[in-house]
Amino acid sequence: MKFLAITSCPNGIAHTYMAAENLQKAADKLGVGMKVETQGSIGVENEFSEEDIAQADGIIIAADKHVDKSRFVGKKLLVAGVQDGIRNPEALIEKLVHGDVPVYQARPGQEPSGGSGRQQPAKQNQIYRHLMSGVSYMVPFIVVGGLLIAIALSIGGEPTPGGLQIPEGSFWKIVESLGGAAFTFMVPILAGFIAFSIADRPGLAPGMIGGFIAANGSFYGSEAGAGFIGGIIAGFLAGYVALWIKKWKVPKAIAPIMPIIIIPVLASLIVGLAFILLLGGPIAKFFEFLTSWLASMQGTSSILLALILGAMISFDMGGPVNKVAFLFGSAMIGEGNYEIMGPIAVAICIPPIGLGLATFLFKRKFHDAERESGKASFTMGLFGITEGAIPFASQDPLRVIPSIMIGSMTGSVIAMIGQVGDRVAHGGPIVAVLGAVDNVIMFFIAVIIGSFVTALMIKLLKKDVVQPQFASANGAIAEDKASGKDNAKADSEISPANEAVASPAAEPATKSPTAEQHKPISKLTDIISLDLIETELTATSRDGVIDEMIGMLQADGAISSASEFKQAILNREQESSTGIGMNIAVPHGKSSAALVPRVVFGIRQDGVDWNSVDGTAAKLIFMIAVPAENRDNEHLKILQMLSRKLMDDNFRDQLLQVQSKQEAYALLDEIR
C-alpha cells in the first residue's frame, strides 16, 4: 500500500517536521509506503505529483492550519491535528489500512471523518471563530449598500427641511434602492455563514432562512425584527442543529441525500419554528429597546457611549472586543442610525495612523524594523485597517495598548460631539473620500487629534530603545545610526565590559546582524555555541526556563530586547503549547528583537511542566530565535533537521546523558 501525508503547523518551524518524521517512521515500521509533503515556513517541500496522488491508497492531513483538499477528490482522506501526527502516527496509518476513512468528495456538506473536516486553529475560541466567519461575509454587503446609498444621496440628493432627499422616479433613487437591497442581505448572510462555519454546507440554508426570519418581525408578530442579535442566535442555532443531524447514523441508501436534502430541510424547519414560536418576539423587543436607548443618548450619555466604543475598537485591534463594537455600529446603520458608526469609523483608523505618526516623530522610541513597520501601519490606517497596530502592541502591550485606547477614545468623543455619521460599515479616511461620511471636516479633525494624542502617549509611556552595539573588524564598537553617536565617539566609550563584548571570543558580537541573518548555514552548530548550551538549568517553571534561556541569548548579543522577545515566545505558547511530548519542548519566536538566528539548548533532568500533549515534563528544551527581518531560510532547514532528529529515541537518550556542554555540542554537531 502507498499513502501520502501532509503536515503543517501555524508557525511551520518545528511541529511540521516532527509530525513528518514520525509519520515516515511509523509507515516504515508498518511496512507501507509513505511520502510526506511539508507545508512549513520555507514553503511546500516534497510536493506531491499528479502521479503520486493517482497511485495513493489514502491521504493523511496532520495540520493545525488550512490545507487545500481539492487535489484529493476521490481518495480516502483522514484529517487530524499536527499533534496527532507527532503522537499517534501509527493509529492514523492503521485507520487508512483498515479502511475506516471515507472517500473525500467535493459535494455539499461531505467532509472526511477522523478529524474536524476543517482545520481548527489551536486554542482558538471556536464561538468567536464561527462569529467572525459570519461577520467577514456580511461586511461586503454593508459596504456595498452603504456606499451606494451615500453616492446616491451626495449626487442625487436635494436639500429639504428633513435633510437630503432623493426625488422619486429619479435615476439616483434606483441606485439608493440597490443599496437598500444590499442591506436586506446583512442578517441572513451573517446567520448563514455562522452556520456554515459550524456545520459546513448543510448549515448554510438553515442559517440563511433563520437569519431572514430573524430580520423580518412579521413572522412573529413584531413591528421590528430581531436584528443582528437575532441573526447571530439563528446562525448558531442552525449550525449546531445541522451538526447534530449530521451525526445521525442512517442507512447507506439515505446517506447520499443527507447533506443536500434531509439536513437542510429538518434544520430549517427546527430553526424556523423555534424563531417564530419562541425566540423571535423576545429578541425583537430587546433589540428594539437597545436601538431606542441608543437613539435617545444625548449630551453626557452620548459622550460615555463614544468613550466605550473608542476603547473597545482599539483594545484588541480587530479581535473579539473590537468586532463587538464594530458589529454594533453596523447594525445601527441598518436601523438608519449613522451617528454610532461615525465615532467607530474614527476610532478604527487612529491606532495604526497614530503609531505610524509616532515612528516618524519620535524615532528614538523604535528600532529600525519598527520604523519601517510604521510606514505600513500609517498606510493601513488610511484604509481603516486597525490590525496595522498589532506588531507594535504585541511587542510592548503595556505601553502601546493604553496609548492607542486613549487616542481612539479622544477621536471617538470628538466625532460624537461633532455629529459625524458614517453610512458604511468601515472606517478610515477612505470612507470620507468615497462620500460615505456626514460632517467630513469634523471627521478629519477627530482623526488628526486622536492620532496625535496616540503619538504623544507613546512618547510619554514608551522608553527609548537601547540600540545594540556590534564590534567591527578592528574591534571598535559601531552603534546603530539612530542612537545619535558616531563610531569615533563610541571608540572613546569602550568600557572593560564592552571590551569583553568586542573581543574575538564573543563570536556573535563580531558580525553585523545583517551579515549573520544571511550567512549560509550548513549545520546546527552554525547557530548554536557552547555559551548557548546549559546542561543544568536551574529554573523550576516554564516561564522561569524561558527567562533563563532568554538571558543566555541576551548575553550572547543575539537579541536587542529580552521583554520583546519573551512576548514573541509567549504569544506562540498561547497558540498551542510547544511542549510536544517525549520530554521535549521547543519554544520559538520570530521577532524584530532577534538580531540573528540562534538556538539555545538546555537540560532539566527533573523536568518542567510545559503542558505537553502527552503529560510528560520537558527535560530537553530548545529555544529558537528567528529575526523578523530574515529573508533567507537556511536556519529553518537546520531546524527541520533538528525537529526530525528529536524523534530518534537513541538521540534523545544520548542528550539526556551528557555530562558537559562539550558533549552536548558534539552531539548537536551531528545535525547537518
Side-chain angles (χ1 to χ4, degrees):
M1 303 183 79
K2 180 179 179 182
F3 297 136
L4 303 177
I6 294 176
T7 62
S8 184
C9 67
N11 284 57
I13 293 179
H15 295 65
T16 298
Y17 306 106
M18 292 176 176
E21 182 70 9
N22 276 13
L23 282 165
Q24 190 67 64
K25 286 171 61 178
D28 294 341
K29 179 179 177 180
L30 295 172
V32 299
M34 174 71 77
K35 179 177 181 179
V36 185
E37 175 182 298
T38 56
Q39 298 186 6
S41 292
I42 59 176
V44 176
E45 294 180 286
N46 207 27
E47 188 172 6
F48 305 145
S49 65
E50 291 184 7
E51 184 179 358
D52 289 331
I53 297 172
Q55 294 177 355
D57 296 301
I59 294 99
I60 297 170
I61 296 178
D64 287 337
K65 58 185 289 189
H66 174 73
V67 173
D68 181 17
K69 301 188 285 290
S70 61
R71 294 180 287 171
F72 309 127
V73 172
K75 294 290 181 179
K76 291 183 178 180
L77 180 62
L78 175 63
V79 179
V82 72
Q83 292 288 359
D84 290 320
I86 295 172
R87 299 300 307 151
N88 304 303
E90 291 186 24
L92 297 179
I93 295 172
E94 285 173 350
K95 271 193 174 184
L96 282 178
V97 171
H98 296 148
D100 295 338
V101 179
V103 172
Y104 175 61
Q105 300 290 347
R107 296 201 300 265
Q110 186 167 338
E111 288 284 356
S113 65
S116 65
R118 290 181 305 281
Q119 313 313 321
Q120 305 295 328
K123 302 289 183 183
Q124 188 182 47
N125 186 302
Q126 296 303 303
I127 299 298
Y128 172 66
R129 186 174 68 85
H130 300 319
L131 177 61
M132 288 305 100
S133 176
V135 170
S136 66
Y137 283 101
M138 175 191 73
V139 166
F141 288 86
I142 305 175
V143 171
V144 169
L147 282 178
L148 287 177
I149 292 173
I151 291 169
L153 282 170
S154 60
I155 299 177
E158 297 179 356
T160 70
L164 282 177
Q165 299 289 337
I166 301 174
E168 293 291 337
S170 68
F171 169 77
W172 295 111
K173 192 67 177 178
I174 297 174
V175 174
E176 182 191 39
S177 66
L178 289 175
F183 274 132
T184 63
F185 287 96
M186 181 178 76
V187 176
I189 290 294
L190 171 67
F193 281 95
I194 288 174
F196 176 84
S197 177
I198 296 169
D200 209 79
R201 288 179 178 84
L204 183 60
M208 294 191 71
I209 291 169
F212 182 78
I213 293 172
N216 290 273
S218 59
F219 282 98
Y220 36 86
S222 173
E223 291 185 7
F228 80 98
I229 296 174
I232 291 171
I233 294 173
F236 279 103
L237 180 61
Y240 284 114
V241 167
L243 189 63
W244 169 60
I245 299 173
K246 280 177 69 174
K247 295 178 180 179
W248 291 0
K249 293 183 179 180
V250 297
K252 289 185 178 180
I254 298 178
I257 64 171
M258 284 288 289
I260 56 176
I261 298 177
I262 295 177
I263 297 175
V265 169
L266 287 179
S268 298
L269 186 63
I270 292 171
V271 173
L273 290 175
F275 246 88
I276 291 171
L277 301 177
L278 298 173
L279 303 174
I283 297 172
K285 289 185 182 299
F286 173 74
F287 190 72
E288 189 175 2
F289 163 77
L290 192 63
T291 304
S292 299
W293 175 65
L294 286 170
S296 68
M297 280 191 132
Q298 294 179 358
T300 56
S301 59
S302 64
I303 292 174
L304 176 61
L305 176 63
L307 287 169
I308 293 171
L309 292 174
M312 292 176 70
I313 285 294
S314 56
F315 174 70
D316 56 358
M317 297 151 285
V321 177
N322 170 288
K323 286 299 187 290
V324 168
F326 174 80
L327 194 60
F328 187 58
S330 303
M332 292 302 100
I333 292 176
E335 297 297 315
N337 185 342
Y338 307 120
E339 290 187 6
I340 300 298
M341 196 66 206
I344 291 174
V346 169
I348 281 172
C349 66
I350 285 174
I353 291 177
L355 286 166
L357 195 61
T359 63
F360 301 151
L361 298 177
F362 313 118
K363 294 183 178 181
R364 292 177 64 87
K365 303 291 181 180
F366 303 93
H367 295 289
D368 287 343
E370 291 175 313
R371 291 197 291 271
E372 287 300 313
S373 297
K375 299 173 184 176
S377 176
F378 188 89
T379 303
M380 292 170 76
L382 297 178
F383 289 89
I385 304 173
T386 317
E387 287 83 350
I390 289 176
F392 298 94
S394 64
Q395 293 179 22
D396 193 1
L398 295 180
R399 296 178 180 87
V400 170
I401 292 177
S403 299
I404 61 177
M405 286 180 68
I406 292 172
S408 288
M409 291 163 71
T410 302
S412 184
V413 167
I414 293 171
M416 183 68 81
I417 294 173
Q419 297 181 326
V420 173
D422 182 10
R423 299 170 184 272
V424 180
H426 200 65
I430 184 66
V431 294
V433 171
L434 293 174
V437 170
D438 299 331
N439 207 341
V440 175
I441 294 176
M442 285 303 299
F443 173 87
F444 280 107
I445 289 174
V447 170
I448 292 169
I449 293 176
S451 298
F452 271 99
V453 167
T454 290
L456 290 172
M457 288 300 300
I458 289 291
K459 177 176 174 57
L460 289 173
L461 298 180
K462 193 171 173 61
K463 297 179 181 178
D464 288 355
V465 298
V466 179
Q467 296 297 341
Q469 295 179 328
F470 304 97
S472 62
N474 62 8
I477 294 178
E479 288 196 354
D480 189 287
K481 292 179 182 178
S483 68
K485 299 178 182 179
D486 58 26
N487 290 347
K489 187 174 181 181
D491 285 344
S492 67
E493 295 177 353
I494 298 179
S495 65
N498 285 336
E499 287 178 1
V501 173
S503 69
E507 182 181 352
T510 63
K511 300 179 178 66
S512 72
T514 303
E516 283 233 45
Q517 282 182 25
H518 304 290
K519 173 187 173 183
I521 301 170
S522 59
K523 55 184 178 179
L524 182 63
T525 47
D526 286 337
I527 51 176
I528 194 170
S529 65
L530 288 175
D531 291 334
L532 295 174
I533 296 174
E534 179 53 69
T535 57
E536 295 181 0
L537 290 169
T538 58
T540 58
S541 66
R542 185 201 70 172
D543 284 11
V545 168
I546 288 173
D547 287 335
E548 187 173 350
M549 300 181 88
I550 288 176
M552 296 164 68
L553 283 170
Q554 194 168 36
D556 183 70
I559 59 175
S560 61
S561 169
S563 61
E564 289 182 21
F565 184 67
K566 181 177 180 180
Q567 190 59 52
I569 292 286
L570 294 180
N571 288 344
R572 177 60 186 87
E573 293 292 339
Q574 287 176 359
E575 293 179 10
S576 63
S577 172
T578 58
I580 62 172
M582 299 168 287
N583 301 123
I584 302 169
V586 191
H588 48 274
K590 190 170 187 179
S591 168
S592 59
L595 304 174
V596 288
R598 285 288 182 266
V599 173
V600 184
F601 172 56
I603 301 175
R604 174 74 188 180
Q605 291 292 348
D606 295 338
V608 175
D609 182 9
W610 215 282
N611 196 27
S612 300
V613 291
D614 62 355
T616 61
K619 298 181 179 180
L620 301 173
I621 301 136
F622 291 84
M623 178 175 284
I624 301 166
V626 182
E629 303 84 0
N630 187 270
R631 298 186 298 274
D632 297 324
N633 297 311
E634 290 88 351
H635 62 286
L636 292 179
K637 294 175 182 176
I638 293 294
L639 297 178
Q640 288 180 39
M641 300 177 194
L642 167 63
S643 303
R644 286 173 166 153
K645 192 70 172 176
L646 289 175
M647 299 300 100
D648 186 326
D649 296 338
N650 291 331
F651 183 75
R652 294 200 308 274
D653 290 340
Q654 287 178 287
L655 278 176
L656 282 170
Q657 293 169 13
V658 300
Q659 299 298 315
S660 67
K661 295 182 179 183
Q662 288 77 8
E663 287 184 41
Y665 186 91
L667 274 175
L668 298 176
D669 193 50
E670 297 176 8
I671 302 174
R672 59 186 67 208

